[in-house]
Each structure stands twice: as structure tokens, then as C-alpha cells.
Amino acid sequence: MSIEIVNVTKRFGGFVALDDVSVSIPSGQLTALLGPSGGGKSTLLRIIAGLEHADTGRIEIEGLEATDLAPQKRNVGFVFQHYAAFKHLSVRRNVAFGLEIRRRPKPEIRKRVDELLELVHLEQFADRLPSQLSGGQRQRMALARALAVEPTVLLLDEPFGALDAKVRKELRDWLRRLHDEVNVTTVFVTHDQEEALEVADEIVVINDGRIEQIGTPDQLYDEPANDFVMRFLGPVTQLGEHLVRPHDLEIVTDGSGAAAVAGRVTRIVRVGFEVRVEVTTEDQVVLVTLTRAKFLSLGIETGATVSVRIVPSGGAGVGRQIRAATVQTS
Amino acid sequence: MADRTAPARTRGPSRYVIRLVVIAYLFFLVAWPVYLVGKNAFSDGFENLRGIIEDPDIVHALNLTITVAIIAVVINTVFGVGISLLLVRYQFPGKRLLSALLDVPLSVSPIVVGLALVLVYGGRNGWFGPTLESAGFQVIFATPGIVLATVFVALPLVIREVVPVLEELGDEQEQAARSLGANAVQTFLRITLPAIKWGVIYGVVLSLARSLGEFGAVKVVSGNVLGETRTATLVVEENYLNFDKGGAYATAFLLALVAVACIIVVSVIRPKEDR
């Protein structure tokens, strides 16, 4: 186990950012800390980096007791949401910073920086200033800078949060490939469940300063530990007593069947390849997502009377019997 | 210079009226009076200037002023940057009080500053002065007192220039440097200082100009002894009162020249897109 976090608590004034959190983050993997804003995930990352100090608890990085270690002695690479580029230094000097601090010989620095710039595809920008780069390029530079010191762990705090949707998606794929190439233990913070599901080997869901669930993307999606995780990881809707994913529901037009609920189609929205159908039953509005082909074969339109049921092949993992308390709140 | 701020242009005559008002205001308040000082200094060609350069007492006064100004600027720069870092990067009780206290030197009349310093460091009746004096260190009526008074009046200038720059800079770059292995000193020298460079330089120039021109506080604490503790500004006053107007104007011209030159040099070399 690479990073051990044991009983960590952190308060900011009266606000409890982390409440007795313990996690083991495995070596060599890409782990996501996922959760809503203000849930404590960035605080946890900053505590691992030594940029914040935990009120109580212990941190161990690759067997090294790091609880009271200054950030510069932890050998972690940290990437900030807003790049934290050294504005007065060229791209090359930015990447070389950690090596210059370590007083490595000049030729070695030069060679290593060239390798890293090639890795992040910034060779031709080496002599530019950060202000002359785009957001995505700056973040790649920040990554190269963090990797230059050969950190034991690489920590990324909402690394793509400040970028536009298209660049974010490109960088996401790129980060995954980079990780497979470099293989350094990586932890990244995100509030975007799609990002976490797509990139991470393992996801730690954090909410209200507590850990809700730890698992692989599949485990989290198929077997959410509670309603919060289910709701946070993807769209949900309610059918009777069940909390289900809209794509695990199907619409039947030929009347009844086991566990089918009758209703009227009140809204149809088409987004790209999927069609979202709102069916109003006696006491609920149920959202059903269909493929376009399926939708066309049904031939329904607004106002049609239909039945909704859980896809039979969905198996045991689909849907959650929700507790009475949750029904009231939703 | 002013034309470069292109957007939100006011069209039509009002634009020219506003310009005219501003130019006339600055002309009558600043440019014309300063120009007249220069004109009077050279009313007899270079006679007046030669006069002050050949007077050993005035040369001593000019030297004293420059020495004091340089020492005061160095002290104010070191403490100014330190206090700015303290104010922006750290939370502590009494922070707002400290911030308010730093404006006192700007709001209190320099002559009050002088009197206050005499009360504390005065050789005979001061609170701390006699102790220092018995240890062989004279403050009031000596160079240390002049430095002290000058440091006091120019205290906030570096801080007020550096604090906004530090605030805008944020601390992410510093944190990044720390996580890359830099210690506090390396982070300051390699990251923070280059980033606040222009704020510091501007603060230094303003402090220097202010230190060269300080009059009230210095007059009280220096004792105004000819050839010993009389500074350039005191020479101007003394000559003026003694009907040596030529000497007064010439000295005043030198003082103004150095201060204005500093500010012009900095605004010329300062990068245009700094902020």
C-alpha cells in the first residue's frame, strides 16, 4: 500500500472538512477522489502533499512517516487546478525548477527536461513563457514540472477543472495514457463523475468529510453502497420504491406485465444518440432513457399511455430498494 | 500614453474638455511651479549651482541627505517586504490593527513624528535616549535620529506598493515551489521576489523620493547644525530665509531633479503589460 491515511480529521474554524478519514491508496494506480464541492476531497489531497496540516491522524507515503514532514521533503508532485505556472520563467525553466533546486548537473537537467517536454508534447514551446500557452498546454507543463523530480506520488487537484469541455476530454484520455507509460502512483481530485469513471482504476467517494465508498468504477456504478453514491455516479430516477438508472428502465406499449407501472408520456427530449422520455405515473414522474432506435421502434409520442418497468435482464445489481426516509426527501 | 486605453471612449467635445481641464489642473498645480524652481535656479546661468557645489557645508548637507535616504530606503525595503508578506500570507490576531497602524506615518504630520521621536530618544529627557547616550550612542541631533525620522515617514510606501501585488499573485506558485522541493528562502528568492519585483522597485523609488525630500521630522530631530546635521532640505529653508534665493533654488532644483528622474526612469523601463 502506497499512501496510508489513518484517522485524519481537519477543521477550518467550526467547519469539519474531514471527519476521521482512513484510506489506503494502492501503489502504481490511478485513484480518483470524487465528491461534491466542499466535501473535503481537496483538503485530503493537500494534507497528503503537506500543504495543509491535519488536526489529528497520520499520513504515510510509501512507508515513510509523513505526518509532520514539510512539503518539500515529501517528494510528491502536485498539480494545481489553475496551473500555478511560474510566470516569469520559460516553459523549460518551469520544468527544470525541481531539478535546479536539487542541484543536479546542468547536462542531466537539460536531458531530463527534453525528455519530459517530449512526453507532454511541448518540445517546440520550450522557450515560451507560460502566458504564451493555452490552458491545456499550461497544465501539461505543470504535469511535466511535477514529474521532473520523479515523485513517489503524483497529486492532481481538479487538474482539468479550468479547461473547456473539449480540451478536458482530450487531456483526460492523455492522462490515462501517460499514467500507463509512467506508472507513478497518482491521486486526482474531481467532482466530475464521468471523469472519475473514465480515467481511474479506483475511486474514493468523499462527501461531507466522510468516505462513502471505495471501489473500482464498475463496483461503484453497479453496486453503490448507498443512495448518495448511486445518485452521485450517474442519473437516477425513481420507480415506485426503487431508485434506478433511467437506462435500466424500459417502456412497453402493449399493456401490463409483471411489475410494470402505467403512465402517460409527458415529455420527450432527444440528446444526440439517446432519447429521454418522461412518464408521469399516478404519483411520480419517471425518467426513462432509450436509444434512438428503440425509441423509433416503440413509435410513442407525447400524451401516449404506456407502461414502465425495470429491464428484466438488469440482474441483481440494478436498482436499490430505497428507505422510507429517502422517499420523503425526494 | 492615455490613448492606449481604447475601450469606453467618450466621443465628441466632452472628451477634449475633460483633457483640457486635467492638463490645465496639472499645469498650474505641478508643472509650472516646478518649472519656475528650475528657471530660478538657472537665472544667473550656472552661477547658483557652482555656488552650492563650492560651499563645503552645502556639499556636506547633500551628502548627508543622500546617505540618510539610502539607509532609510534599504531599511524600509527589507522591513516593507517582510511586513507585506506577513500581512498577506499569514493570519494572526491584531492584523487589521497592524494594517491601520502602518498608515499612521502618512496621516500624521512629520513635525509630530519628530517631536515623538525626541520624546523617546532625546538625550536628556527621552524615555530611552539617556540609556542609549550613556552607552555612547547618540540618536537625537545626530545621523541615527535623521535616519529614524526618515524611515518613519517613508514606512508605508513600499508596503502599499507590494501588498496588492502579493494579493493578486496568490500563494499557489509558492506552494508549487515548496512541493517541488524548495525551502522557504529558495521559494522567496526564486518565485516570490521576481513576481513582486516591480512593486518593490516602485515602492523603493517612492521611498527614495520621499526620503530625499523629508523636512519637518528631520528639522526637529537633527538640531540643524551647519556642516554636521543639516540636510539638503534644511539648507533650502535656511538659504531662503537668509535671502540667498539663488542657493535655495539651486539646492531645491537638485532635490527635485533626483526625485523626478527616479520616477521617470522607472515608468520608462517598467514593462507595459505588467498587471
Side-chain angles (χ1 to χ4, degrees):
Chain A
M1 285 295 176
S2 172
I3 307 173
E4 294 287 343
I5 296 144
V6 187
N7 303 115
V8 164
T9 297
K10 174 75 182 171
R11 284 188 190 80
F12 295 106
F15 175 72
V16 181
L18 291 173
D19 185 7
D20 197 23
V21 166
S22 298
V23 208
S24 296
I25 293 170
S27 254
Q29 291 203 4
L30 188 52
T31 304
L33 303 181
L34 174 68
S37 303
K41 55 198 190 310
S42 280
T43 307
L44 183 58
L45 197 76
R46 293 172 63 84
I47 287 175
I48 298 173
L51 299 174
E52 303 279 358
H53 201 266
D55 297 335
T56 59
R58 274 185 338 102
I59 304 285
E60 205 175 279
I61 301 171
E62 292 285 8
L64 175 73
E65 172 65 41
T67 314
D68 296 312
L69 217 54
Q72 67 265 31
K73 296 192 176 141
R74 295 192 182 201
N75 202 34
V76 296
F78 200 96
V79 175
F80 296 80
Q81 178 175 5
H82 298 286
Y83 329 124
F86 300 144
K87 287 181 186 148
H88 61 290
L89 299 178
S90 66
V91 171
R92 170 177 294 284
R93 295 284 314 276
N94 260 277
V95 176
F97 186 86
L99 299 169
E100 286 178 4
I101 290 287
R102 284 165 174 72
R103 299 185 195 285
R104 296 282 166 78
K106 282 239 166 68
E108 187 196 318
I109 294 180
R110 200 170 174 83
K111 186 165 158 282
R112 178 100 181 105
V113 170
D114 282 337
E115 283 169 16
L116 282 159
L117 288 177
E118 204 186 308
L119 185 71
V120 300
H121 309 298
L122 288 175
E123 310 95 306
Q124 69 271 43
F125 300 109
D127 298 316
R128 292 212 190 168
L129 286 175
S131 58
Q132 296 167 305
L133 300 182
S134 72
Q137 289 168 337
R138 276 184 228 182
Q139 199 57 299
R140 298 209 305 265
M141 180 195 83
L143 250 160
R145 184 176 71 181
L147 287 172
V149 298
E150 287 169 1
T152 5
V153 289
L154 181 62
L155 307 171
L156 305 102
D157 188 4
E158 301 259 5
F160 313 131
L163 303 168
D164 63 59
K166 190 163 166 289
V167 180
R168 193 185 308 176
K169 206 156 166 44
E170 282 169 19
L171 273 189
R172 211 190 271 171
D173 297 343
W174 177 81
L175 174 68
R176 181 67 237 188
R177 286 200 304 275
L178 182 83
H179 179 263
D180 295 339
E181 228 171 285
V182 184
N183 251 315
V184 58
T185 307
T186 305
V187 184
F188 78 103
V189 159
T190 179
H191 62 258
D192 181 347
Q193 91 285 351
E194 202 184 309
E195 194 166 290
L197 289 171
E198 202 178 305
V199 178
D201 296 314
E202 187 165 87
I203 300 175
V204 179
V205 182
I206 299 181
N207 179 41
D208 270 342
R210 277 187 297 272
I211 290 177
E212 300 280 355
Q213 190 174 2
I214 305 172
T216 64
D218 285 349
Q219 282 168 350
L220 260 62
Y221 200 84
D222 295 337
E223 302 150 35
N226 53 39
D227 291 347
F228 175 82
V229 176
M230 173 113 185
R231 283 174 199 279
F232 198 76
L233 279 203
V236 288
T237 190
Q238 225 174 292
L239 181 67
E241 295 285 277
H242 291 277
L243 193 64
V244 286
R245 303 256 181 244
H247 55 74
D248 284 333
L249 291 177
E250 66 176 5
I251 290 176
V252 283
T253 45
D254 54 352
S256 61
V261 180
R264 209 163 54 80
V265 176
T266 44
R267 200 167 123 89
I268 298 171
V269 184
R270 189 191 155 199
V271 185
F273 60 87
E274 68 173 37
V275 180
R276 296 172 191 167
V277 181
E278 247 179 49
V279 178
T280 308
T281 66
E282 214 170 290
D283 53 355
Q284 280 174 325
V285 177
V286 184
L287 181 68
V288 185
T289 315
L290 305 168
T291 61
R292 187 162 154 72
K294 177 79 181 164
F295 172 76
L296 289 175
S297 74
L298 282 169
I300 52 175
E301 49 189 63
T302 316
T305 307
V306 295
S307 295
V308 182
R309 66 177 186 202
I310 296 172
V311 179
S313 59
V318 178
R320 285 178 53 81
Q321 185 84 39
I322 43 180
R323 295 183 297 270
T326 324
V327 178
Q328 281 162 9
T329 55
S330 56
Chain B
M1 278 270 214
D3 277 356
R4 214 167 291 146
T5 51
R9 229 178 274 159
T10 323
R11 287 242 161 258
S14 64
R15 184 174 160 197
Y16 295 101
V17 171
I18 292 171
R19 282 189 193 178
L20 199 69
V21 169
V22 170
I23 290 170
Y25 181 77
L26 287 178
F27 178 77
F28 285 110
L29 200 68
V30 182
W32 187 240
V34 174
Y35 166 73
L36 283 184
V37 169
K39 190 172 171 246
N40 276 294
F42 292 101
S43 57
D44 303 329
F46 286 92
E47 264 322 293
N48 289 329
L49 269 183
R50 186 180 308 148
I52 60 168
I53 288 169
E54 282 171 0
D55 183 336
D57 290 334
I58 296 183
V59 170
H60 180 270
L62 287 170
N63 277 334
L64 180 63
T65 291
I66 290 169
T67 311
V68 165
I70 289 173
I71 297 172
V73 164
V74 169
I75 294 174
N76 270 335
T77 305
V78 172
F79 279 91
V81 172
I83 292 172
S84 303
L85 282 171
L86 193 68
L87 281 177
V88 178
R89 293 285 185 263
Y90 298 91
Q91 293 296 331
F92 53 91
K95 182 168 155 175
R96 287 182 57 172
L97 185 72
L98 176 64
S99 182
L101 212 58
L102 288 172
D103 279 333
V104 167
L106 280 186
S107 49
V108 171
S109 167
I111 204 134
V112 176
V113 174
L115 290 174
L117 288 175
V118 170
L119 281 179
V120 176
Y121 298 102
R124 271 187 214 153
N125 304 319
W127 176 76
F128 193 45
T131 319
L132 284 174
E133 201 126 303
S134 61
F137 190 72
Q138 190 187 356
V139 177
I140 302 299
F141 306 140
T143 310
I146 304 173
V147 172
L148 215 56
T150 310
V151 167
F152 192 117
V153 296
L155 177 76
L157 296 171
V158 169
I159 299 168
R160 294 295 163 222
E161 284 294 318
V162 172
V163 162
V165 182
L166 269 178
E167 272 169 354
E168 194 187 303
L169 180 68
D171 59 357
E172 275 204 340
Q173 289 185 49
E174 291 164 15
Q175 290 179 355
R178 298 303 288 269
S179 76
L180 289 168
N183 62 32
V185 175
Q186 287 168 323
T187 304
F188 176 75
L189 291 178
R190 283 169 180 256
I191 302 302
T192 316
L193 196 57
I196 62 172
K197 180 176 65 180
W198 284 104
V200 175
I201 291 175
Y202 217 68
V204 164
V205 168
L206 289 177
S207 302
L208 184 64
R210 183 78 182 81
S211 303
L212 288 171
E214 178 45 31
F215 174 73
V218 167
K219 180 158 189 185
V220 177
V221 299
S222 72
N224 200 3
V225 179
L226 182 66
E228 282 180 33
T229 60
R230 183 173 293 174
T231 64
T233 48
L234 300 178
V235 165
V236 175
E237 192 214 19
E238 206 72 21
N239 286 1
Y240 188 80
L241 294 178
N242 294 334
F243 304 104
D244 177 9
K245 298 235 161 121
Y249 286 129
T251 315
F253 173 76
L254 282 183
L255 281 171
L257 185 72
V258 176
V260 171
C262 287
I263 289 172
I264 289 176
V265 165
V266 165
S267 45
V268 167
I269 60 173
R270 186 176 212 175
K272 299 285 182 292
E273 297 295 325
D274 196 31
R275 300 227 169 148

